[in-house]
Amino acid sequence: MRALHRGFTLIELVMVIIVLGILAAVALPKFVNLSQEAITASVQGVAGAVASSATINYGAFQVNSAKATQLNQANICTSTILNGLLLGSASALLGTTVGGVAYSVGGAGACNGANAGGTTVSCSITGQKSSSASATAATTVICTG
């Protein structure tokens, strides 16, 4: 008895290659340019970190005002003040370029006068990688005494 060896025909192999080519052509554009999504996620992460650090700072102020950063200026939406909240004044993130993304702060939130302790102020964080890829996210800062 002779054993029959059967394999794929040339037509079947060509069809598989064509189907894979079509799938690659459709799926590839979804994965090629993810820079906009990456910048959006990065800016949202920084905005979340600012809001979280402002909340922790307000909690520290409520417990012991000497251990908290005083947020009672005319405009707290500046990179100097928010960097102090984020990094304990060790270095800068906002107002600098990190990983090719330039982070900046916008808004004019006042934490003095009628907007004293406990009032929330909205600031905006913007990240710019190139002229075509940028994102902005809003963050909330809680004023202290």
Side-chain angles (χ1 to χ4, degrees):
M1 286 231 158
R2 289 177 43 182
L4 289 174
H5 294 288
R6 298 205 52 159
F8 294 107
T9 64
L10 183 61
I11 299 280
E12 291 170 330
L13 292 174
V14 168
M15 290 306 293
V16 168
I17 292 171
I18 289 173
V19 168
L20 289 175
I22 291 171
L23 287 174
V26 170
L28 192 60
K30 297 280 185 186
F31 300 107
V32 169
N33 189 2
L34 296 177
S35 62
Q36 182 61 49
E37 289 84 358
I39 289 175
T40 300
S42 172
V43 169
Q44 288 174 346
V46 171
V50 168
S52 178
S53 63
T55 303
I56 291 170
N57 184 62
Y58 182 71
F61 176 78
Q62 291 295 85
V63 173
N64 184 355
S65 62
K67 296 195 180 221
T69 301
Q70 296 296 319
L71 298 178
N72 55 5
Q73 293 86 359
N75 183 15
I76 62 163
C77 294
T78 65
S79 57
T80 304
I81 293 170
L82 296 183
N83 276 331
L85 286 177
L86 275 176
L87 305 168
S89 300
S91 60
L93 171 67
L94 301 169
T96 62
T97 300
V98 179
V101 179
Y103 293 99
S104 60
V105 181
C111 275
N112 58 359
N115 291 335
T119 304
T120 58
V121 172
S122 183
C123 301
S124 63
I125 309 292
T126 302
Q128 180 85 30
K129 178 139 179 119
S130 63
S131 60
S132 62
S134 67
T136 301
T139 187
T140 302
V141 178
I142 304 173
C143 300
T144 58

